[in-house]
Amino acid sequence: MIELSTGTAIVTGGAGGIGAATALKLAEAGAHVVIADRANVGGETLAESLRKDGWAASYHLLDVTQESSWDELIEGIKALPPLRVLVNNAGIATWGNDVETETISGWDKMIAINQTGVWLGMRAVAAPMRAAGGGSIINLASVLATVGGYGEEIAYHASKGAVRSMTKSAAIHWATEGIRVNSVHPGYIATPMSLEGLDDWHESRILGNTPMGRMGTPEEVASVIAFLASAGSAYMTGSEIYVDGGYTAV
Ligand code: NAI
């Protein structure tokens, strides 16, 4: 059983968007939240404002693509309560770049952050979570892990499909050790990632293809992540949960 109130939760990419909403939800559940993000994206400011509101929070610099950065993070949080939760949320996206127009450099960058970063994160927390007697890892995939969307973003699809299947492999690996691994698949959520560069063509199709007829909010994804982090989901591992306003139901 995971007692959030006596543990630490890492949220990668926790400075903004879905990550920031998740940091608040996990802090409200009693965890010491570690906002792990790149430099100069507001992680320290967010941690400070959470602390001012009475929650336990800190910021740590992390580049999810670098093994040494993960090692420094795990070393740096040793004095905190036992590590019980990792939310592998950091990610990037682009509009466009289809199967013909993607470049090697664009592909490599996307795979490094969205895919390799998730694997490195799961590997880095294995020892501290085992020592804590178990934990919950939540990997942010996407509806685009399983459907073709608009025939674009080939590298994004590749990376999120990999997150979906890596989640299941890791879940089976740790199934008897109390470390649970699940993936969350948001549809289109109103964050900097999806709003920057959103043109009328995409917006009208996205809203038209979403039965609820609107984008989701970061909080609507964060509450599902918080459920997967909690003891309420104790019998769930290797599962994929869609938070998409019905996008994949059509
Ligand atoms: P966002 O762009 O608002 O936030 C992403 C965060 O990741 C930022 O704080 C950024 O600094 C951090 N980040 C990027 N590269 C990093 C690196 N190398 N190391 C550490 N941190 C890094 O994005 P949003 O929308 O909050 O997305 C969060 C997750 O949800 C992503 O994995 C994304 O792919 C996924 N998602 C988002 C959807 C959406 O519509 N917004 C839809 C489906 C999935």
Side-chain angles (χ1 to χ4, degrees):
M1 292 287 253
I2 294 173
E3 287 302 335
L4 277 173
S5 54
T6 57
T8 291
I10 299 171
V11 182
T12 72
I18 294 168
T22 300
L24 175 59
K25 281 268 191 286
L26 296 179
E28 286 172 348
H32 181 113
V33 174
V34 174
I35 295 160
D37 210 314
R38 298 176 299 183
N40 305 320
V41 289
E44 183 60 67
T45 310
L46 177 62
E48 216 173 283
S49 94
L50 289 175
R51 286 195 298 269
K52 266 193 195 136
D53 290 340
W55 310 118
S58 46
Y59 163 72
H60 281 260
L61 183 67
L62 174 72
D63 178 350
V64 295
T65 68
Q66 300 301 315
E67 282 183 278
S68 57
S69 189
W70 278 104
D71 291 345
E72 283 160 25
L73 171 66
I74 298 301
E75 185 62 30
I77 63 169
K78 261 187 175 165
L80 296 180
L83 181 62
R84 308 310 299 263
V85 175
L86 168 66
V87 184
N88 269 319
N89 164 80
I92 56 166
T94 56
W95 294 103
N97 297 331
D98 60 35
V99 59
E100 295 186 67
T101 58
E102 184 58 276
T103 60
I104 289 285
S105 64
W107 174 273
D108 285 349
K109 185 177 177 196
M110 184 82 73
I111 297 298
I113 296 174
N114 290 11
Q115 179 176 332
T116 310
V118 168
W119 164 56
L120 289 177
M122 293 194 289
R123 197 180 66 171
V125 301
M129 275 193 184
R130 211 176 254 128
S136 176
I137 299 173
I138 299 106
N139 294 328
L140 268 289
S142 166
V143 290
L144 302 184
T146 44
V147 299
Y150 303 101
E152 301 169 339
E153 294 199 80
I154 187 80
Y156 189 80
H157 282 267
S159 66
K160 294 300 184 178
V163 169
R164 175 175 178 261
S165 57
M166 284 194 296
T167 297
K168 294 180 197 306
S169 171
I172 292 167
H173 175 72
W174 285 315
T176 58
E177 295 191 76
I179 301 177
R180 302 184 294 108
V181 194
N182 295 287
S183 56
V184 169
H185 299 244
Y188 288 86
I189 310 299
T191 70
M193 174 181 282
S194 52
L195 297 177
E196 272 165 26
L198 177 65
D199 57 30
D200 292 346
W201 188 91
H202 284 94
E203 186 174 14
S204 67
R205 269 157 194 79
I206 287 165
L207 296 181
N209 294 338
T210 302
M212 285 190 178
R214 65 171 177 87
M215 283 187 157
T217 67
E219 291 72 25
E220 286 169 328
V221 181
S223 56
V224 174
I225 296 171
F227 163 68
L228 287 172
S230 77
S233 58
Y235 196 51
M236 291 180 70
T237 198
S239 294
E240 50 192 89
I241 301 189
Y242 289 80
V243 188
D244 66 357
Y247 188 89
T248 48
V250 178

